[in-house]
Coordinates of all heavy atoms in Angstrom, one line a residue:
H280 N 100.1 78.6 291.4 CA 100.2 77.4 290.6 C 101.5 76.7 291.2 O 101.6 75.5 291.1 CB 100.5 77.6 289.1 CG 99.1 78.0 288.4 ND1 98.3 76.8 288.2 CD2 98.6 79.0 287.9 CE1 97.3 77.3 287.5 NE2 97.5 78.6 287.2
Q281 N 102.5 77.3 291.7 CA 103.7 76.7 292.3 C 103.5 76.3 293.7 O 104.5 75.5 294.2 CB 104.8 77.8 292.2 CG 105.1 78.3 290.8 CD 106.1 79.5 290.8 OE1 106.4 80.0 291.7 NE2 106.6 79.7 289.6
Q282 N 102.4 76.5 294.3 CA 102.3 76.1 295.8 C 101.2 75.0 295.9 O 100.2 75.0 295.3 CB 101.8 77.3 296.6 CG 102.6 78.5 296.5 CD 104.0 78.3 297.3 OE1 104.0 77.6 298.3 NE2 105.1 78.7 296.9
A283 N 101.5 74.1 296.8 CA 100.5 73.1 297.3 C 99.5 73.9 298.1 O 99.9 74.9 298.9 CB 101.2 72.0 298.0
P284 N 98.2 73.5 298.0 CA 97.2 74.1 299.0 C 97.6 74.0 300.4 O 97.8 72.9 300.9 CB 95.9 73.2 298.6 CG 96.2 72.8 297.3 CD 97.7 72.5 297.1
E285 N 97.6 75.2 301.1 CA 98.0 75.3 302.5 C 97.2 76.5 303.0 O 96.6 77.3 302.2 CB 99.5 75.6 302.7 CG 100.5 74.5 302.3 CD 100.6 73.6 303.4 OE1 99.9 73.6 304.4 OE2 101.5 72.6 303.2
D286 N 97.1 76.6 304.4 CA 96.5 77.7 304.9 C 97.3 79.0 304.5 O 98.5 79.0 304.4 CB 96.6 77.7 306.5 CG 95.7 76.6 307.0 OD1 95.0 75.9 306.4 OD2 95.8 76.3 308.3
I287 N 96.4 80.0 304.0 CA 97.0 81.2 303.4 C 96.4 82.5 304.0 O 95.3 82.5 304.3 CB 96.8 81.3 301.8 CG1 97.5 82.4 301.3 CG2 95.4 81.2 301.5 CD1 97.5 82.2 299.7
C288 N 97.2 83.5 304.1 CA 96.9 84.7 304.7 C 97.0 85.8 303.5 O 98.1 85.9 303.0 CB 97.6 85.2 305.9 SG 97.2 86.8 306.5
I289 N 96.1 86.6 303.2 CA 96.1 87.6 302.1 C 95.9 89.0 302.7 O 95.0 89.2 303.3 CB 95.0 87.3 301.0 CG1 95.3 85.8 300.4 CG2 95.2 88.3 299.9 CD1 94.2 85.4 299.6
A290 N 96.8 89.9 302.4 CA 96.8 91.2 303.0 C 96.4 92.1 301.9 O 97.1 92.2 300.8 CB 98.2 91.7 303.6
I291 N 95.3 93.0 302.0 CA 94.8 93.9 301.1 C 95.0 95.3 301.7 O 94.4 95.5 302.8 CB 93.4 93.6 300.6 CG1 93.3 92.2 300.1 CG2 92.9 94.6 299.6 CD1 94.0 91.9 298.7
G292 N 95.5 96.2 300.9 CA 95.5 97.6 301.5 C 94.1 98.4 301.3 O 93.1 97.9 300.6
P293 N 94.0 99.5 301.8 CA 92.9 100.4 301.9 C 92.8 101.1 300.6 O 93.6 100.8 299.6 CB 93.1 101.2 303.1 CG 94.5 101.6 303.2 CD 95.1 100.1 302.8
E294 N 92.0 102.1 300.5 CA 92.1 103.1 299.3 C 93.5 103.7 299.3 O 94.0 104.1 300.3 CB 90.9 104.2 299.4 CG 89.6 103.7 299.4 CD 89.1 103.6 300.8 OE1 89.7 103.3 301.7 OE2 87.8 103.6 300.9
G295 N 94.1 103.7 298.1 CA 95.5 104.2 298.0 C 96.4 103.1 298.2 O 97.7 103.4 298.0
G296 N 96.0 101.8 298.7 CA 97.0 100.8 298.9 C 97.9 100.9 300.1 O 97.8 101.8 300.8
H297 N 98.8 99.9 300.2 CA 99.7 100.0 301.3 C 100.8 101.0 301.0 O 101.2 101.3 299.8 CB 100.5 98.6 301.5 CG 99.4 97.5 302.0 ND1 98.9 96.6 301.3 CD2 99.0 97.5 303.3 CE1 98.2 95.7 302.1 NE2 98.2 96.4 303.4
S298 N 101.3 101.5 302.1 CA 102.5 102.4 302.0 C 103.8 101.6 301.8 O 103.8 100.5 302.1 CB 102.7 103.3 303.1 OG 103.2 102.5 304.2
P299 N 104.9 102.2 301.2 CA 106.1 101.5 301.1 C 106.7 100.9 302.4 O 107.2 99.9 302.4 CB 107.1 102.6 300.5 CG 106.3 103.4 299.8 CD 105.0 103.6 300.5
N300 N 106.4 101.7 303.5 CA 106.8 101.1 304.7 C 106.1 100.0 305.2 O 106.6 99.1 305.7 CB 106.6 102.4 305.8 CG 107.0 102.0 307.2 OD1 108.1 101.5 307.5 ND2 106.1 102.0 308.1
E301 N 104.7 99.9 304.9 CA 103.9 98.8 305.2 C 104.4 97.5 304.4 O 104.3 96.5 304.9 CB 102.6 99.2 305.0 CG 101.9 100.0 306.1 CD 100.5 100.6 305.8 OE1 100.1 100.7 304.6 OE2 99.9 101.0 306.6
E302 N 104.6 97.7 303.1 CA 105.1 96.6 302.3 C 106.5 96.1 302.9 O 106.6 94.9 302.9 CB 105.3 97.1 300.9 CG 103.9 97.4 300.2 CD 104.0 97.5 298.6 OE1 105.2 97.2 298.2 OE2 103.0 97.8 298.0
A303 N 107.2 96.9 303.2 CA 108.6 96.5 303.8 C 108.4 95.8 305.2 O 109.1 94.8 305.4 CB 109.5 97.8 304.1
L304 N 107.5 96.2 306.0 CA 107.2 95.5 307.2 C 106.6 94.0 307.0 O 106.9 93.2 307.7 CB 106.2 96.4 308.1 CG 106.7 97.6 308.8 CD1 105.5 98.4 309.4 CD2 107.8 97.2 309.9
A305 N 105.8 94.0 306.0 CA 105.2 92.8 305.6 C 106.2 91.8 305.2 O 106.2 90.7 305.5 CB 104.1 92.9 304.5
Q306 N 107.2 92.3 304.4 CA 108.2 91.4 303.9 C 109.1 90.9 305.1 O 109.5 89.7 305.2 CB 109.1 92.2 302.9 CG 108.6 92.2 301.5 CD 109.5 92.9 300.6 OE1 110.1 94.1 300.7 NE2 109.8 92.3 299.3
Q307 N 109.3 91.8 306.1 CA 110.2 91.4 307.2 C 109.4 90.2 308.0 O 110.0 89.4 308.7 CB 110.4 92.6 308.1 CG 111.3 93.6 307.5 CD 111.4 94.9 308.3 OE1 111.0 95.0 309.5 NE2 111.8 95.9 307.7
A308 N 108.0 90.3 307.9 CA 107.2 89.3 308.6 C 107.0 88.0 307.7 O 106.1 87.2 308.2 CB 105.8 90.0 309.0
G309 N 107.6 88.0 306.6 CA 107.5 86.7 305.8 C 106.4 86.7 304.8 O 106.2 85.7 304.1
F310 N 106.0 87.9 304.4 CA 105.0 87.9 303.3 C 105.6 88.2 302.0 O 106.7 88.7 301.8 CB 104.0 89.2 303.4 CG 103.0 89.0 304.6 CD1 103.2 88.9 305.9 CD2 101.6 88.9 304.1 CE1 102.2 88.8 306.8 CE2 100.6 88.7 305.1 CZ 101.0 88.6 306.4

Side-chain angles (χ1 to χ4, degrees):
H280 277 294
Q281 296 168 349
Q282 299 292 322
E285 293 276 9
D286 292 353
I287 183 170
C288 178
I289 302 169
I291 302 292
E294 299 96 336
H297 289 109
S298 70
N300 178 58
E301 288 170 338
E302 291 193 4
L304 287 172
Q306 283 183 305
Q307 292 171 17
F310 280 72

